[in-house]
Amino acid sequence: MSSDSSSLQSAAVIQEAVQSLRSGGLVAFPTETVYGLGADAKNPEAIKKVFAAKGRPSNHPLIVHIAAPDKFDQSQVDWVPVLAPWVRDLSEDALKLIHAFWPGPLTLVFKKDKSVPLEATGGQDTVAIRAPAHPLTQELLRKFKGGIVGPSANRFGKVSPTSAADVRYEFEEMLDLMILDGGDCDVGIESTIIDLSRDHPVLLRPGLITPGDILAKTGIKVYLPHEYAVLAGQSETPVVSGSLRAHYAPTTPLRLYASGRVLDALSEFPDIKSRVAVAVWDSDSSLGEDGHPSVHFEEVLVPSDSVSFASKLYRTLRDLDQQGWDLILLPEPPVGEEWDGVRDRLQRACFGSGPSSSSHANN
């Protein structure tokens, strides 16, 4: 926002959002990953409104968003006072991760301070925290001078919103919901979640930042849940945002197909009507319609690099869902940890997709 008038306008809008949060209201806000549905993280009644608006089970923890400290001219920002109201202890590893990746799409799980309401943590003794990189939300958090819980601003289990218009579409009957418009989200899938509340860091949700990135930048090894279970001789994993089998799901049935196997995917659905949207990699040649005369294909090109694919994933699912197809087919993501975040979202989206839960039976 270059001109003075627009910065004044945004200052007024942010002030209004701050007032709304302070009075226990909800505010939808942009982040680099997806839009969040925000409430004051220390106000149990406001937090309950978030669960009610989303239709989300109250035992699901929320992520607390905090502002990055102002840099001024110090070489390393001091995060300790910022985190002190939220977490019980900050390890060396935690500070390394924070300095390397915050603000950004990395959520860290800590043992919570006793002042953090259990409503925000789904009744668990841990709290998930991140500092989002979006400048509008950083400004909101600075002015608010507190933490904001913010699950994705959509109905529970449905496709996450990556624009202000998506949020309006999801909550059109909530006329008093204030929505801060920060444009389209860059990253496009939810943050990576790392659990630091145990003896070793554990990946609880894959995202743009991978265990390989973390190792390369900080020297910290992040364990996958099954590796940690072997290490610790236990199998229990804490509940985190987006960990249900069915999630991020369109109403249209969604399936993945293996390379070159579109017709196989179709033959699994003999009763599917006739209109099928088939996403193909932008690096592949076209499918052609031979061999399945009753089906009308429409090809949709999707990016073949993981970062661009993630950035457009929810936009693509949302648009296709609103176009009235009978079936959506997406290519299976390639092997490799840079695709793990996308693969995770797609598997959950497939499992939850379709007009009702009866469609899960044939998964």
Side-chain angles (χ1 to χ4, degrees), residues 77-330:
V77 174
D78 187 6
W79 283 91
V80 177
V82 179
L83 285 159
W86 304 99
V87 309
R88 222 181 300 167
D89 57 305
L90 263 182
S91 63
E92 280 304 303
D93 276 2
L95 286 168
K96 271 189 201 163
L97 288 168
I98 286 166
H99 286 300
F101 295 105
W102 280 10
L106 179 70
T107 294
L108 300 175
V109 175
F110 302 93
K111 290 283 186 201
K112 79 177 191 69
D113 183 82
K114 61 181 181 300
S115 67
V116 180
L118 286 168
E119 285 80 0
T121 68
Q124 302 183 120
D125 67 345
T126 51
V127 62
I129 300 187
R130 102 176 175 94
H134 198 290
L136 190 61
T137 294
Q138 275 294 330
E139 190 61 21
L140 172 68
L141 287 159
R142 283 213 177 93
K143 295 269 190 326
F144 179 60
K145 296 183 166 52
I148 299 175
V149 291
S152 57
N154 56 283
R155 302 293 176 189
F156 182 64
K158 291 298 169 192
V159 179
S160 306
T162 52
S163 72
D166 292 344
V167 181
R168 276 194 198 96
Y169 178 84
E170 287 283 322
F171 296 108
E172 53 195 347
E173 77 298 334
M174 279 180 69
L175 301 175
D176 58 340
L177 176 64
M178 184 169 181
I179 302 171
L180 293 179
D181 189 344
D184 293 345
C185 303
D186 292 339
V187 174
I189 59 171
E190 294 77 6
S191 58
T192 305
I193 301 181
I194 306 288
D195 185 0
L196 296 179
S197 70
R198 298 186 262 182
D199 315 336
H200 300 276
V202 182
L203 179 73
L204 297 186
R205 179 174 75 186
L208 179 73
I209 295 169
T210 65
D213 297 333
I214 288 170
L215 188 64
K217 247 184 156 177
T218 64
I220 294 169
K221 175 171 169 50
V222 173
Y223 291 82
L224 300 178
H226 65 271
E227 295 172 332
Y228 181 79
V230 169
L231 199 72
Q234 65 190 111
S235 58
E236 175 198 340
T237 310
V239 179
V240 291
S241 296
S243 58
L244 287 185
R245 277 186 76 184
H247 215 86
Y248 317 115
T251 313
T252 312
L254 168 71
R255 295 292 176 266
L256 303 183
Y257 66 88
S259 179
R261 308 289 292 271
V262 173
L263 293 179
D264 291 357
L266 284 173
S267 61
E268 283 178 43
F269 291 90
D271 57 334
I272 279 288
K273 320 303 172 290
S274 52
R275 300 185 65 252
V276 181
V278 183
V280 290
W281 300 117
D282 55 14
S283 53
D284 281 358
S285 61
S286 116
L287 294 164
E289 294 212 12
D290 51 309
H292 218 284
S294 61
V295 172
H296 168 65
F297 282 130
E298 186 156 316
E299 287 183 19
V300 180
L301 289 182
V302 290
S304 44
D305 76 284
S306 58
V307 174
S308 306
F309 185 94
S311 150
K312 297 187 173 66
L313 172 61
Y314 293 145
R315 171 82 287 121
T316 303
L317 287 182
R318 213 168 250 280
D319 290 348
L320 291 173
D321 203 20
Q322 286 164 21
Q323 288 164 16
W325 297 98
D326 297 320
L327 175 68
I328 302 168
L329 292 177
L330 262 76

